[in-house]
Amino acid sequence: MPANKSGPAPKKKKGRRGRLVALTVVLLLVAGIGFGAYWGVSTVRASFPETTGSLKLPGLTDPVDVVRDANGIPQIYADTDEDLFRAQGYVQAQDRFWEMDVRRHMTAGRLSEMFGRSQVKTDEFLRTLGWHDVAQKEYDTKLSATTKKYLQAYSAGVNAYLTDHQGSALSLEYAALGFTNDYKPEPWTPTDSVAWLKAMAWDLRGNMQEEIDRALMTSRFTQQQIAQLYPGYPYQRNRPIVDGGSVDPATNEFDPKRSSNTGTNSGTGTGTGTGTGTGSGTGTGTGTGTGTGSGNGTVRGATTGVQAQLSALSTTLEQVPALLGPNGNGIGSNSWVVSGEHTTTGKPLLANDPHLAPQMPSLWYQMGLHCRTTGPKCNYDVAGFTFSGMPGVVIGHNQDISWGMTNLGADVTDLYLEKINADGYLYDGKQKPFVTRQETIKVAGGESQKITVRSTNNGPIVSDRDDELAGVGKDAPVANGAPDRGDGYAVSLRWTALTPGKSMDAIFELNRAKDWTGFRKAAADFEVPSQNLIYADTKGNIGYQAPGAIPIRGKGDGTYPAPGWDPAYQWKGTIPQSALPYEYNPKRGFIVTANQAVIDDKYPYLLTKDWGYGARSQRINDLIESKIKDGGKVSTDDMQSLQKDNSSEIARLLTPYLTKIDIKDKYVRDAQQLLNGWDFTQEPDSAAAAYFNAVWRNTLKLAFGNKMPKELRVQGQCLYVRPASDNGPADDQNKLVRECGQRAGDTAQPDGGDRWYEVVRNILDDPNNAWWKTDDRPGHPGLKNRDQLLAQAMKDARYELTSKLGKNIDNWAWGRLHQMDLKNQTLGKEGPGFLQDLLNRGPWNLGGGEAAVDATGWNAASGYKVTWVPSMRMVVNLADLDKSRWINLTGASGHAYDAHYYDQTDKWAKGELLPWAFSEDAVKKAGKETLTLSP
C-alpha cells in the first residue's frame, strides 16, 4: 500500500521522496549544508553494485555466475564450496557492506571508532560481555576445519570487494561519515561473521527483562499481585508445540510417546521478600508480604534503593543496540508445517515469518547458493534467507529438506548478586580472585578510554559499567545467612552464549542435510540462540526439534536475581540434547510453533517460566484444524492467507463486555456502536479496529499502567501517585507525589501482548476485582469496578482518537494510527535531518496487531506505532520447490535509491509473496542480470 495518504499532515511530505531524488540530494545540500557538488546524484549512485558483465575475483578456482531476478535477488552458481562462499562474501559486500560493518563494530564493542564519544558507554558494556572474544574462541577451538575453510573463503570475498571500493563507492553512509571521521574499514575476518550469532543470541536471550521487571515491581505490588501479572501458561486452552512425551530416566532421552506422571519443572531454593511462598518452589525469606512465589530467587520486596539500581541496569540494557528489536514480548515468530496427507499437493507445505523490528534495510538477505554439480568438491544446493556478513543460509530449503525457526524463549540468562571487595568476590564462604582483563576503546575524534573488566565464576560483572550500577544490591533484601552487604552487592551475568559453541557449524550442517537424521544432527550443534526448528522433506516427512544450550539450575528458577555466593544456586550443566523435545510425523498431521510453551509442565527439565502465552499459535492451530476437518486440504494459497490473518483474540474476549455497557454520552456511544457486529479483524481501513485498540490501550492504562512503578512506565509520562514505601507497597499513604516514567516506549509496561490477555481474562468475570479499581484524585473520583473502568476507557479512547483522527468516526482507520516507518539503524536515527530523509522510508498504514498471526506489534503503554513486523515471509512447497514463495520486508539492496532498496515493501504490506525460483532452469528463466566472477 502507498505511504500514508490519510495520516497526520507532517507525514505526508515523506511520501514524495522517491520522486525527488535529485532535488533532495542536490538542492537541499547546496542550499544550506555546504557540501556542494560533492553531494550529487553521482555520489548517491557511486556505490550501486555491478550486476552484469564480468569481474575478476582473486582466489577463485573457476568462474562463478551471479544471476539476479527482477528484484535483484542473487543466485550464485559455482563448482567448489570455497568458490561458492567466496562469491557470497563478495556479493553481500556489494549490496550490504555498511550494514555488515556497523554490525561487526557493534558485536566487537567498537562503535565509538565509527560514531565517536556517544557510543562509549555502549562499547564499555559490550566489551564487558566480550562477544567478539567468545567468537574468537569458538573459531579457534570449537569450529570444524570445514567451517573455518568456508569462513575464510567468505572473508576473502568481502575483502576483495573492499580492495576496490572505498568511501562513497562503498555506500552513501560512508560519504556522510567522511565529513566527521577519517574512518576506513578494516579487512573482514572469520570472527566478524561468527560474532553475529552472539548479537542474535543477545536479542533472543530469554527472560532477563522479566527478571528485572518483577524485582522492580516489588516497590508497588505484593508478591501475590506480581504473580497475577505473570500468570501461568494456559496449557488447557493453548496447545504446546509438542502434544506429549517425556524423558526416559534410564536413557535420559526424550520419547515422544512416553507418558509422565510427575514432573520436576520447578526450582527449589530460598526466596526473599516473602514470608511464605507457594508455587513451584519452597523456601523462607525476609521482608514483608505474602504471596505466590514461583521460585526462590533473591530480590524480593525490593526497597527504594534497589529500585534505582535495577532501573539503571534496565536502562543500560536498552542502550545496547538491538539488531533484531527490543527484547521482550514482541520477539517471536510464526512457523508451521502441514503434512502432505492434508495438502492439495500431496507433500508438505512449510511456512515461516520471523517477527523482528522494522528497519532499513531488512535484517534478512535473500539468496541462493548452488553447486553446478553437487558432489565431494561442492556440497550445496540451497536457497533462503541469510544475514549479510554471515555465509550460508539461515532459514530456507535445499533440494531435499526445508526448515524454519521461531524463538524458543528458553531462559538462558541469570543475574547474580555478588559480595565483592577490591580483591575479589565471596563464594562458598571463601574469597576468590576476579578474572580481569583490560580493554581500550578507541574514540573517533577523542581520546581512547580504558576499562577493566572483572568476572566471577558466574560471569562478567555488569554493574561495573555504570556509576549508578556500582551500588547495585546495596539495599536488596536477601535470605537469612547472607554475607554482610557492606557497600552493597555487585551484579554479574551468566549466559550460555558466553561459553564457546558450535552454532556456526550447525548453519552449514542444516544447509547440506538430506533427511531427518541430518537435520537433528545439525540441530544438536545449534546451541545459541535456542530456536524452535521445524522440518519437512520432499519424501513427505515433517518434524520439530527443540535445540539449544539450556541450563540446569540448582536452586532457583531464574525468575529473580540469585545469590552468587551460594553454591546451591550454581548451574549444574545443560539439558542433554537427547532429552530435548521433538516430534516426527505426529498423528495430527501438522506442527505449529509460535513462541508458545514447547511442552506441558510435566516435562522434567525447566526450559523457562516466561513463555509466550499462545494467542498466535492457538489461532494457527484452530484455523488449520478447521481447514482439514472432514478431509479438507490446505493449499499454498491457504498458507499465504493464514500469514495475513489479523483477527484479535483480546477483541473477541473483551468486546462482548464493552457492547453491554450502558453509555449515556451519545458522543461516546457513537464510537461504542462501531463494535456492534465487528468480526474482530484488524484491516488497515477498519474504524472498529482503531477504536477497539484504543479502548484496549486505555483499559490497560487505567487498570495497570498508572499503578506501575516509574521504572516501567514510559519515559516522560508523569502522574501523581502515592509514594512507594521503603518497605514495599504503601496503599495507606494519602500524600500524592509526581513521578515520571523512565522506560523506553518499546519496552514499557503494560505492553498489551498476550500475557496481558491472560491477566485480563483471569479477572474479567470478577467485576469487583481490585485491579479494576483506581484511586481517588483531586477532580477525578476513583473507579470502583470493571464496568466503570471499561466505560472510562471507552470515553478516553473516543477523545484520544478524536484528537488523532478527527471527530468524524467514519474517517477513522486502524492503519492511520498503526503506521510503520523504515529507518536506517545508524545515521537514519541519529544523523542530521536531511540525511535521515535520504536513508529512511515510510510510513505505511498497516493492519494486523499485537499477538495476531499478522504480528504487526505495538506497545500499548506508549502508542500505536508499529514496533514488530513479520520481517520476511516464506511458504515452501515440498512437492515442487519452484512453486515456493517468499518476500522480504525491504529489498536486496542496502543502498539508498537503488531500485531494490525497498521494492518489496509495498507487496509485503499487502500480504503478497514473490515467486521463488530454485531449479537452474527456473532461475535462468527468472533472471534479468548475470555477473560472471572470474579467477
Side-chain angles (χ1 to χ4, degrees), residues 249-280:
T251 63
N252 210 19
E253 292 186 2
F254 184 81
D255 182 351
K257 298 180 181 179
R258 182 179 178 84
S259 62
S260 177
N261 295 322
T262 61
T264 58
N265 192 353
S266 63
T268 59
T270 303
T272 63
T274 58
T276 61
T278 62
S280 62

Side-chain angles (χ1 to χ4, degrees), residues 170-233:
L170 274 175
S171 77
L172 179 63
E173 291 93 333
Y174 286 105
L177 198 64
F179 287 104
T180 59
N181 190 351
D182 59 358
Y183 168 81
K184 290 182 175 55
E186 296 175 354
W188 193 266
T189 72
T191 306
D192 293 333
S193 296
V194 178
W196 161 240
L197 289 171
K198 301 303 169 188
M200 184 178 174
W202 176 255
D203 283 354
L204 301 173
R205 61 190 178 272
N207 78 333
M208 185 191 297
Q209 193 63 59
E210 286 86 351
E211 189 174 338
I212 294 170
D213 287 355
R214 274 187 285 259
L216 291 171
M217 286 181 182
T218 57
S219 71
R220 290 278 170 193
F221 304 139
T222 66
Q223 286 296 313
Q224 185 174 9
Q225 289 173 318
I226 294 172
Q228 291 167 356
L229 299 183
Y230 289 88
Y233 185 86

Side-chain angles (χ1 to χ4, degrees), residues 12 169 221 255 275 344 351 465 485 516 675 678 708 804 823 863 885:
K12 291 183 180 180
F221 304 139
D255 182 351
T344 58
R465 296 284 69 86
R485 69 177 72 250
W516 174 245
L675 303 177
W678 178 44
M708 289 282 171
K804 294 179 185 296
K823 293 187 177 183
R885 304 172 186 175

Side-chain angles (χ1 to χ4, degrees), residues 456-474:
T456 73
N457 59 336
N458 291 312
I461 297 179
V462 292
S463 53
D464 279 350
R465 296 284 69 86
D466 192 295
D467 291 341
E468 292 183 66
L469 292 176
V472 168
K474 182 175 181 181

Side-chain angles (χ1 to χ4, degrees), residues 114-125:
M114 297 183 75
F115 304 112
R117 191 177 307 279
S118 65
Q119 298 302 310
V120 169
K121 286 290 185 183
T122 299
D123 283 347
E124 288 179 352
F125 190 77

Side-chain angles (χ1 to χ4, degrees), residues 365-408:
Y365 185 91
Q366 296 153 287
M367 182 171 254
L369 301 171
H370 307 279
C371 294
R372 293 189 179 99
T373 303
T374 55
K377 289 176 55 180
C378 205
N379 293 273
Y380 296 90
D381 189 15
V382 62
F385 295 84
T386 189
F387 301 119
S388 57
M390 201 172 86
V393 168
V394 176
I395 294 174
H397 69 82
N398 60 28
Q399 70 272 33
D400 298 307
I401 76 166
S402 179
W403 66 95
M405 296 184 188
T406 64
N407 190 22
L408 192 151

Side-chain angles (χ1 to χ4, degrees), residues 322-357:
L323 293 180
L324 304 185
N327 187 267
N329 179 71
I331 287 190
S333 305
N334 300 322
S335 70
W336 64 92
V337 60
V338 182
S339 167
E341 175 187 359
H342 300 299
T343 68
T344 58
T345 67
K347 290 288 178 71
L349 294 170
L350 184 150
N352 197 187
D353 56 284
H355 305 153
L356 306 173

